[in-house]
Amino acid sequence: MTELDRDTRILRFLEHVHPYDSLKREVLTRIASVFIERTVHPGVMIYTAGDLLEGLYLIEHGTVEITDEKGAPVSILHGRNSFGERGLTRDGLAVTHAKATEETRLLMLPADEFHDILQSSKSFARFFDRTRSPGREQRGDLTTQRVADLMARNPISISPETSIQMAAGMMRDTHVSCLAVTHPEHVLAGIVTLRDMTTKAVAGGLGGETPVSQIMTSEPVSLAPSALGSDLLHVMLERKIGHVPVTEGNRLVGVLTQTDLIRFQAISSASMVQEIAEAYTAEEMAKVTVRLPKLLMQLVGAGNRHEVVTRLITDIADSVTRRLLALAEGELGAPPVPYLWLACGSQGRQEQTGVSDQDNCMILDDAVTEADMPYFCALAKFVCDGLDTCGYFYCPGDMMATAERWCQPLKVWKRYFAGWIDKPDPEAQMLASVMFDLRPIGGTHALFDNLQDETLAAARKNTIFVGHMIVNSLKHTPPLGLFRGFATVRSGEHKNELDMKMNGVVPVVDLGRVYALQGGITEVNTRARLEAAEALGTISHSGAHDLLDAYDLIAETRLKRQADEIRAGRKPDNYMPPSDLSDLERSHLRDAFVVVRTMQSAVGQGKGMLS
C-alpha cells in the first residue's frame, strides 16, 4: 500500500470517528498523515501503568482490555474507541494497563499533535474533558455504574414451597439461570440456580416434589440499587458466585447475573456501529437499534454530559443511514450521477434522544436527468423504509427524501433557499429553520459546501429575513407560570406536565440557530453554535455562559427523565410532571427557564446579548 493510499484510508476512517469528525477538513487531512500504525497480537501489552505514553491510541479494529494498576478490569474497548488520554492530560504517564485481547490494529496520534488539537478545537477538548475533570473519569466503565442501571427488573420469583420440578420447568421455559425465592410482599428468602439443580437436586437424588427451600441458598448476599458495579464485581469474585439479588431493605427489586455484565459490556455505541456496518438487511440492523434505549439509560446513568449522550445516540442513526445507502447501491447499482444524503432536525444537529423520527433529504448533481430520477426515488424509499424498520419512524410532516420536493438537483435547492430568504412567509420560516440544520451523512459532500456558504452569506445580508427568523424563534417559550410556578400542559394525555422538548430545549435550539445566522456560523449543533457565537462576540461572555448552563440543565433533566422511564420499563417521551423533581431541582430548572426567556427578550429587542 502506498503512503497516499494509507493516508486516504486513515482519513476516511477518522471522518466517521468522534471527535475527529468535528475537526476542520484541513486539520483532519494533516493529522491523517502523522498517525502511527501498529498491529498488536492477542495477549500483548500495549502499555502498563507508569509507562511514558507516546500518544493517544485509537482502535481501528480489534479489542483492547483496560485494567487498573492492580489488574482489576476497567473496560473492554473495540473499534473507534480512544484510550490513553488520561495519562496524556496529566503528566504523560499511563495510569492503567492496556492489552490486546485479539489481533488489533491501532492508530496512534503523537502526544504533541494531541495537545495542539486540544488547544485549537473546543469540541475536541470538550470530548476529552471528562478525563481531565476530577470525579469524571472512566464514566462509561462497568465499575462506576450504579447497580440500578445494570440489574434485570421484575425478576421471576417463586415461594419456598414450590417444587423442584416446577422450578426447573419455569427456568427452562423462561430461559433464566436462577429464580428468586420470596415470602409474601417480595421479602427475599433465598435464591436457586441451575447449579443448585444439578449439584444438589439431581446429584443428591431428591424427588421432583421436594420444595426448593431444600436446595436454595438461604439469606444470600445482596446489594442495594445504589451500589456500584465495582461492589458487584468484588462480591462475585470474592464469593465465586454468578447471581446476586438486589434488595431495598429486605424486599427483592432485581437480580444481577454474569450475563448482565457481559450484556453491559456489549452495549456501547462503538460495538453497535460495528454490528450495523456488518449487517446486510434493515431487519438485522433493527436488532441492534432496539438496544438504543438501554444505551441511553446506560450513558445517562454513567453521568455523561447531554451533548455526549445525544452525539453517541445520533452516531447510531448516522451509521444506519450510511449502511442503508451502501445496501441500496448494492441492490440498485452505482448512482447515475453524484448525490448527497443529508439529515435535518435533531439528527442534523446531532441531538437525538430516545424519541426520534426521521428528517432527511437528497441533493442531486445538476447533471441528473428525468431518466435518472427513478433510481433516486428507489434509493430514497429503500433508505427511509429501512430507517422506519430500525425505529426511526416516518416524519409526520413528510420531511423525507421520498418526497419529490426534497429530492432535487442542487440548482433547485439553491432556488429554494433564495426564495425562502427573499420572501420569508410563515412556511418559508419553518422550512428555513429545518434546512439550516442540514448535515451531510453520505454521498458527495462537495454538493453541500457552496450551498451552505452561499445561503448563510445571503441570509445574513437580508435583515428582513433575519428579523422574521428572530420572530419565529420566539414562538416557543419556556414554561414559566405565575408566582414562581411552571406553566404545564393544560389538557390531554400530558395534562399538568412540562413539555421538556417544545418548551424546554427547542427555545434554546431556536436561539442557537438565530445566532448562527447572525454570525455566519456553519456549526449545526446547538451547543457548538452557542460557543461559536460567544467566540465571535455575537453573545457576551456572561450571557453565553448563563445560556450554556441553562441549556445544559434543561437538556440533562430531559435526558434523565427519559432514562428513568426506560429504567421503569416504559417508553420514553418528552414530558415530565414537576412533582417528580425535588424543591431544589424545581428551583434550578425554573432559574434556567428564566435565563432562556431573558435571552429571548434580548434577541427580540435586537440586543442579541445578555450583559
Side-chain angles (χ1 to χ4, degrees):
M1 178 182 294
T2 66
E3 194 66 20
L4 178 61
D5 290 338
R6 188 202 82 108
D7 293 352
T8 300
R9 173 178 60 79
I10 294 176
L11 175 62
R12 289 176 178 171
F13 176 67
L14 295 177
E15 286 176 334
H16 303 299
V17 178
H18 192 59
Y20 296 97
D21 59 353
S22 66
L23 300 176
K24 293 181 178 179
R25 180 75 178 187
E26 58 268 24
V27 175
L28 202 59
T29 302
R30 180 180 61 78
I31 66 172
S33 65
V34 301
F35 267 94
I36 298 171
E37 294 183 281
R38 178 182 173 188
T39 298
V40 187
H41 299 299
V44 174
M45 298 298 297
I46 299 165
Y47 59 73
T48 59
D51 286 352
L52 180 63
L53 292 170
E54 299 177 9
L56 175 72
Y57 290 93
L58 173 63
I59 303 173
E60 187 171 5
H61 63 76
T63 304
V64 174
E65 179 186 40
I66 306 294
T67 56
D68 65 18
E69 293 179 336
K70 297 181 180 179
V74 171
S75 59
I76 300 293
L77 304 177
H78 303 282
R80 301 169 185 258
N81 282 164
S82 297
F83 62 98
E85 66 271 20
R86 290 183 61 208
L88 289 175
T89 52
R90 292 183 174 185
D91 52 11
L93 301 180
V95 295
T96 56
H97 305 301
K99 179 178 69 175
T101 58
E102 64 179 359
E103 189 83 0
T104 299
R105 186 73 170 175
L106 297 175
L107 301 175
M108 187 190 72
L109 181 66
D112 56 347
E113 291 283 352
F114 173 68
H115 289 295
D116 286 347
I117 299 173
L118 281 181
Q119 296 299 317
S120 61
S121 171
K122 282 189 175 182
S123 58
F124 194 84
R126 188 169 65 248
F127 178 84
F128 290 111
D129 182 60
R130 66 186 189 279
T131 64
R132 300 199 301 273
S133 302
R136 298 191 67 167
E137 299 167 359
Q138 301 172 4
R139 286 192 155 182
D141 86 65
L142 173 64
T143 60
T144 57
Q145 287 284 324
R146 291 192 315 144
V147 161
D149 295 325
L150 297 171
M151 70 182 188
R153 292 180 177 270
N154 303 316
I156 301 171
S157 61
I158 56 176
S159 69
E161 295 77 28
T162 304
S163 70
I164 289 175
Q165 182 176 4
M166 182 175 291
M170 291 178 66
M171 295 172 82
R172 176 200 62 202
D173 295 341
T174 56
H175 307 288
V176 297
S177 58
C178 72
L179 295 171
V181 184
T182 58
H183 296 302
E185 304 298 325
H186 301 289
V187 175
L188 182 66
I191 190 169
V192 60
T193 67
L194 282 175
R195 185 176 180 182
D196 293 328
M197 288 290 183
T198 57
T199 62
K200 296 179 182 179
V202 178
L206 299 179
E209 296 306 313
T210 304
V212 292
S213 59
Q214 297 298 308
I215 64 169
M216 73 180 186
T217 300
S218 300
E219 299 181 0
V221 61
S222 63
L223 292 173
S226 58
L228 298 178
S230 57
D231 300 320
L232 174 66
L233 287 171
H234 294 161
V235 166
M236 286 184 166
L237 293 171
E238 181 180 348
R239 297 175 182 263
K240 296 181 174 61
I241 57 177
H243 306 81
V244 179
V246 182
T247 57
E248 287 183 321
N250 60 357
R251 295 181 67 254
L252 180 75
V253 294
V255 171
L256 273 163
T257 69
Q258 289 180 338
T259 302
D260 294 320
L261 305 189
I262 295 170
R263 187 179 297 117
F264 172 86
Q265 293 286 14
I267 298 177
S268 71
S269 60
S271 63
M272 292 172 73
V273 166
Q274 183 176 8
E275 290 181 60
I276 289 165
E278 296 170 352
Y280 283 93
T281 65
E283 288 72 22
E284 288 180 22
M285 284 183 264
K287 294 177 181 178
V288 181
T289 56
V290 74
R291 306 202 303 264
L292 275 170
K294 184 74 172 180
L295 175 64
L296 184 144
M297 184 186 76
Q298 182 174 298
L299 291 170
V300 173
N304 288 286
R305 291 178 61 89
H306 69 92
E307 70 268 24
V308 173
V309 177
T310 55
R311 174 55 195 263
L312 294 176
I313 295 295
T314 306
D315 283 349
I316 306 299
D318 291 355
S319 298
V320 169
T321 306
R322 281 191 287 267
R323 185 57 181 156
L324 287 169
L325 286 168
L327 293 174
E329 289 187 23
E331 182 172 305
L332 301 171
V337 298
Y339 74 93
L340 178 62
W341 186 282
L342 304 98
C344 39
S346 60
Q347 185 184 357
R349 297 191 306 274
Q350 298 175 305
E351 293 167 4
Q352 286 190 315
T353 66
V355 186
S356 296
D357 62 353
Q358 55 174 293
D359 296 288
N360 46 63
C361 61
M362 267 202 290
I363 299 177
L364 310 178
D365 188 274
D366 284 338
V368 68
T369 66
E370 282 299 319
D372 298 328
M373 291 309 297
Y375 175 94
F376 292 109
C377 290
L379 179 79
K381 186 176 188 310
F382 186 102
V383 176
C384 290
D385 286 351
L387 287 169
D388 183 69
T389 298
C390 292
Y392 304 98
F393 53 88
Y394 299 118
C395 175
D398 204 25
M399 184 69 69
M400 298 182 295
T402 48
E404 181 181 355
R405 187 180 189 184
W406 308 128
C407 180
Q408 291 291 333
L410 177 59
K411 59 188 176 184
V412 175
W413 280 99
K414 289 182 176 181
R415 287 203 298 270
Y416 283 166
F417 279 103
W420 296 335
I421 292 170
D422 291 340
K423 298 179 181 179
D425 57 31
E427 184 190 31
Q429 294 170 40
M430 183 274 291
L431 294 173
S433 295
V434 173
M435 293 303 170
F436 275 117
D437 293 347
L438 285 175
R439 182 172 60 88
I441 302 296
T444 304
H445 288 217
L447 288 170
F448 183 65
D449 293 341
N450 291 337
L451 175 64
Q452 184 184 39
D453 294 340
E454 292 170 5
T455 301
L456 278 174
R460 288 184 68 193
K461 294 176 183 177
N462 191 320
T463 56
I464 296 177
F465 173 77
V466 174
H468 278 281
M469 289 297 292
I470 289 173
V471 172
N472 191 56
S473 74
L474 304 179
K475 290 180 179 179
H476 299 105
T477 57
L480 293 168
L482 300 174
F483 309 114
R484 294 193 59 79
F486 290 114
T488 57
V489 178
R490 295 181 179 179
S491 61
E493 179 185 356
H494 298 288
K495 183 179 180 180
N496 298 326
E497 295 181 350
L498 295 173
D499 187 336
M500 293 299 293
K501 178 182 179 181
M502 300 309 297
N503 301 118
V505 297
V506 167
V508 186
V509 169
D510 289 342
L511 283 173
R513 192 180 295 114
V514 168
Y515 296 140
L517 287 174
Q518 291 175 331
I521 297 167
T522 56
E523 298 278 6
V524 292
N525 176 265
T526 299
R527 206 176 195 286
R529 281 172 165 171
L530 298 180
E531 290 175 343
E534 177 192 3
L536 288 172
T538 307
I539 325 174
S540 70
H541 292 302
S542 60
H545 290 171
D546 284 347
L547 186 55
L548 283 166
D549 286 346
Y551 178 52
D552 289 344
L553 179 62
I554 295 166
E556 286 175 6
T557 299
R558 177 195 183 200
L559 276 181
K560 184 178 181 297
R561 168 67 179 179
Q562 290 190 0
D564 288 343
E565 292 288 282
I566 294 166
R567 190 176 295 111
R570 295 187 291 269
K571 187 175 180 179
D573 57 32
N574 291 300
Y575 298 92
M576 181 182 68
S579 58
D580 283 1
L581 300 172
S582 68
D583 289 343
L584 184 61
E585 288 172 327
R586 282 198 294 271
S587 177
H588 285 327
L589 185 60
R590 188 182 188 282
D591 289 343
F593 288 145
V594 169
V595 169
V596 176
R597 184 170 66 180
T598 303
M599 292 299 289
Q600 284 184 323
S601 297
V603 168
Q605 294 168 12
K607 297 177 181 178
M609 58 180 65
L610 178 67
S611 59

